[in-house]
Amino acid sequence: MGAKKTAGGRNTAAGEPASVTATAVSTASAAATPPGELPVRPGEDPWTEEEVTAARDELEGETARLTAEITSSETALVGLMRDSGGGAGDDDADTGTKNITREHEMALAANAREMLEQTERALQRLDSGTYGLCEICGKPIGKARMQAFPRATLCVEDKQKQERRG
């Protein structure tokens, strides 16, 4: 069985979806950084094997869900683009409704792609041992925040600063 490159540049075993291979790869590399070595804030207990497994499972589940959502949106977009062709017999309201529906579906797909990228980045950070470190200040984000929002890349302080800047 050979490997092939997907559009995202990931190798997959022939016939397997990228998410299945990504799950196998990330699970295999889970031992790369021992859970107790992941960053935590002062006063927090170190990450346990069970907590890391739960975070990884949630992220991998989110990867599968988002991949399916993107596929569904792309399928819907193909249909919408095909149906928007001539518009013979459509009045302005029909055309406007089709345009709004198409734009809405495109926005959903773009949002799902962005969330998928964040989720995949979180899995990479989990494997590399940088999961839980703020990408701006380098300080620990906090285990509780990471458990509540596993894709977090910024500590609360830097996230608030970023949101204020717009």
Side-chain angles (χ1 to χ4, degrees):
M1 209 182 280
K4 63 179 180 177
K5 281 256 190 195
T6 62
R10 291 179 296 231
N11 287 325
T12 63
E16 280 188 273
S19 60
V20 171
T21 304
T23 300
V25 170
S26 60
T27 302
S29 59
T33 303
E37 293 182 20
L38 290 173
V40 293
R41 288 191 140 186
E44 288 183 326
D45 292 331
W47 285 88
T48 65
E49 187 73 40
E50 294 79 23
E51 291 168 334
V52 171
T53 299
R56 182 177 303 282
D57 289 348
E58 184 174 344
L59 289 165
E60 289 173 347
E62 189 72 356
T63 298
R65 184 189 70 76
L66 290 166
T67 301
E69 186 177 317
I70 291 167
T71 301
S72 174
S73 287
E74 288 173 348
T75 301
L77 277 169
V78 167
L80 289 168
M81 297 302 250
R82 182 187 58 237
D83 294 343
S84 69
D90 284 352
D91 62 15
D92 288 343
D94 289 339
T95 302
T97 299
K98 287 179 182 178
N99 288 340
I100 290 170
T101 302
R102 185 175 55 243
E103 288 175 16
H104 177 72
E105 201 61 48
M106 288 170 57
L108 288 175
N111 184 51
R113 279 190 202 93
E114 183 178 327
M115 288 176 58
L116 180 61
E117 287 174 20
Q118 291 173 359
T119 303
E120 289 173 340
R121 194 160 103 221
L123 282 166
Q124 291 169 352
R125 291 167 49 89
L126 192 57
D127 292 339
S128 70
T130 59
Y131 186 74
L133 284 180
C134 178
E135 290 185 342
I136 293 179
C137 69
K139 295 178 184 172
I141 293 172
K143 191 165 81 168
R145 177 165 163 73
M146 296 305 298
Q147 289 171 324
F149 186 64
R151 293 188 313 265
T153 58
L154 302 177
C155 64
V156 172
E157 295 82 10
D158 285 323
K159 183 64 177 172
Q160 289 172 342
K161 288 177 193 173
Q162 183 188 56
E163 287 174 352
R164 275 184 251 146
R165 282 183 233 145

